[in-house]
Amino acid sequence: MRQRSISINIIVLVVSISCLLLGIGFSIKNVLFLSRAISTEGVVIGLKEETSIDDMSTLYRPEVQFRTQEGEVKTFISSVASRPPRYQVGRKVNVVYEYKNGRILSAEINSFSTLWFAPRVLIFMGIIAGIIFVKS
C-alpha cells in the first residue's frame, strides 16, 4: 500500500511540474510573439468547421482577413475552435501578426481567450496538482 502511495505521489508531481512548465512556456511564447507583433483590425470572413474527436460535435474556427501595414490583404484561420462559434461572419476583430520578408509568420485574434486561456488553465492545473502533492 505504501509503494502505491509513493507511485501516485510521483505521478501527481510529474503532472504538476509538466502543467506548470507547459503553461509558463506558452505564456512566454505569447509574450515574445506580442512583443514582435503588429496590431491591426480584421474581419471574420468565414467559419471553418471541424469535428471534435471527443464527442464528434462540430467546432468552428474563425477565418479572418486583414490588411498588413504594406497594404496586402492576408487571411488566416484561428488556432482556437469553439462551439458555438465565438465570432460571427462580418464581425470586426483585433488581429496581431508577425510579418517578415513579405510573409506572415504567425497571426491570431488578439483576445484573452485566444492567447491566454490555455496557459492559465495549465498553470492552474499545475498549482492544484502541486497542492495535492504537498498535502499527500
Side-chain angles (χ1 to χ4, degrees):
M1 185 70 167
R2 179 87 176 128
Q3 183 65 29
R4 182 178 177 146
S5 176
I6 291 171
S7 296
I8 290 173
N9 283 346
I10 290 171
I11 291 170
V12 170
L13 179 62
V14 168
V15 167
S16 173
I17 292 170
S18 298
C19 286
L20 285 171
L21 289 176
L22 281 170
I24 291 167
F26 286 135
S27 294
I28 291 169
K29 176 182 165 273
N30 285 342
V31 167
L32 292 174
F33 167 66
L34 289 172
S35 73
R36 296 183 301 260
I38 300 166
S39 184
T40 190
E41 186 177 86
V43 63
V44 176
I45 61 169
L47 297 169
K48 296 297 179 189
E49 293 183 7
E50 64 182 54
T51 303
S52 166
I53 355 177
D54 296 337
D55 60 0
M56 301 306 290
S57 62
T58 302
L59 299 173
Y60 302 91
R61 291 182 189 272
E63 182 177 13
V64 179
Q65 188 174 71
F66 66 98
R67 189 174 300 276
T68 68
Q69 285 183 327
E70 289 76 16
E72 296 176 67
V73 175
K74 299 288 185 175
T75 302
F76 72 93
I77 297 172
S78 177
S79 62
V80 178
S82 64
R83 182 190 70 199
R86 188 170 306 162
Y87 302 98
Q88 299 302 317
V89 173
R91 179 173 172 186
K92 291 181 181 179
V93 293
N94 188 17
V95 172
V96 283
Y97 69 97
E98 206 173 345
Y99 191 77
K100 188 174 184 177
N101 299 328
R103 214 179 61 146
I104 299 293
L105 301 177
S106 183
E108 192 53 83
I109 295 172
N110 189 10
S111 71
F112 176 83
S113 59
T114 302
L115 296 173
W116 301 108
F117 182 73
R120 298 287 191 244
V121 168
L122 286 166
I123 290 170
F124 179 74
M125 287 172 34
I127 290 169
I128 296 301
I131 291 169
I132 291 169
F133 173 76
V134 169
K135 291 196 174 209
S136 59

